[in-house]
Amino acid sequence: MTTLRSFMRDNGLSLAFGVLFLFSLVGQAWSGLAAFNDQQLAHGAQTVGLLDYLTSSSFAVDVAENWQSEYLQFFLYVSATVWLVQRGSPESKALRKAGPESDRDQLLGRHVRDGSPRWAKAGGRRTAVFSRSLGLVMGTVFLLSWLAQSIAGVSAYNAEQLSDFGDPVSWGEYLLSADFWNRTLQNWQSEFLAIGCMAIFSVYLRQRGSPESKPVGAEHHVTDESG
């Protein structure tokens, strides 16, 4: 029988980041509310309560634009590392394995094991979908978050336009606006920089005990090896 202690030990990574996510989301809600109400007062408008702020387009667009950039990062990294390699990086697979790899490497077909997932054993479309399921889910969440950002963004943008006696815009017009692409690209560039830095820094730098790093004494050119 699984005890609470063993459950927390076995799932420590996901539990820890889940708690950090909740704390940071709560912190964003309260700080965002304070900033929003400061802006309301500056425009001579009424302040709002926490519940009203949480259901506002202003809060929704801030959350959605962060989510879409993060899931874009994961989608691109999961997909790009199928074909692209980085000599010496533990974030890369071995140079000779670029591509989708053989059934033997991927434990498919006659190479499946007794404990392999059911869809890996099924063959046909189910195995084809399952073999790309991580990228599909990451890409889908990215697109949905980006859509949510655009919908919440046009609402927040129009509210600001009306408060400044400007003209509101349609969703299509907002998609072509500087505001939408400024919000989008300022997140994308940071994600691309972080991915690139992690790939190249891990060639020459080490973090003892981390699977994201090579063993401390590993040679710089060693690829696809974690400590």
Side-chain angles (χ1 to χ4, degrees):
M1 183 177 180
T2 303
T3 64
L4 179 60
R5 178 177 293 181
S6 63
F7 173 81
M8 294 183 69
R9 179 201 64 202
D10 294 347
N11 298 278
L13 196 58
S14 56
L15 290 172
F17 278 95
V19 170
L20 289 172
F21 164 73
L22 291 176
F23 272 113
S24 59
L25 188 63
V26 170
Q28 179 188 351
W30 282 107
S31 60
L33 173 64
F36 182 82
N37 280 334
D38 285 344
Q39 189 176 33
Q40 289 288 96
L41 292 172
H43 285 81
Q46 289 186 335
T47 59
V48 301
L50 180 62
L51 184 59
D52 288 330
Y53 177 68
L54 291 178
T55 55
S56 71
S57 58
S58 180
F59 179 71
V61 70
D62 287 342
V63 172
E65 73 177 67
N66 286 324
W67 286 19
Q68 62 90 0
S69 64
E70 295 299 331
Y71 278 97
L72 174 64
Q73 175 190 143
F74 292 133
F75 168 69
L76 290 179
Y77 205 58
V78 166
S79 303
T81 51
V82 174
W83 297 98
L84 303 180
V85 295
Q86 176 63 54
R87 179 181 171 86
S89 176
E91 297 294 310
S92 168
K93 58 184 177 179
L95 307 184
R96 67 182 184 281
K97 291 186 176 181
E101 302 181 19
S102 66
D103 285 355
R104 181 176 182 178
D105 290 332
Q106 291 293 311
L107 304 179
L108 290 174
R110 61 189 180 88
H111 303 287
V112 296
R113 298 172 178 175
D114 292 339
S116 295
R118 185 172 58 184
W119 276 43
K121 298 177 180 179
R125 292 182 180 177
R126 283 188 291 176
T127 297
V129 170
F130 183 66
S131 66
R132 297 166 178 82
S133 55
L134 183 58
L136 287 172
V137 169
M138 294 297 182
T140 299
V141 177
F142 157 65
L143 291 175
L144 292 176
S145 300
W146 202 17
L147 176 63
Q149 177 197 333
S150 69
I151 294 172
V154 69
S155 180
Y157 180 80
N158 282 336
E160 187 173 343
Q161 285 288 96
L162 292 172
S163 69
D164 293 333
F165 304 102
D167 295 326
V169 300
S170 68
W171 179 69
E173 290 172 327
Y174 181 68
L175 290 182
L176 300 175
S177 71
D179 183 81
F180 176 71
W181 285 103
N182 179 55
R183 285 180 174 272
T184 296
L185 293 174
Q186 69 178 336
N187 285 288
W188 286 9
Q189 53 88 13
S190 63
E191 303 301 337
F192 299 152
L193 176 64
I195 292 175
C197 286
M198 186 62 185
I200 194 64
F201 286 176
S202 60
V203 175
Y204 302 104
L205 306 178
R206 308 287 188 269
Q207 183 63 50
R208 183 170 181 165
S210 174
E212 300 303 313
S213 167
K214 292 183 288 191
V216 178
E219 298 171 85
H220 289 324
H221 66 80
V222 173
T223 310
D224 187 30
E225 182 176 328
S226 60

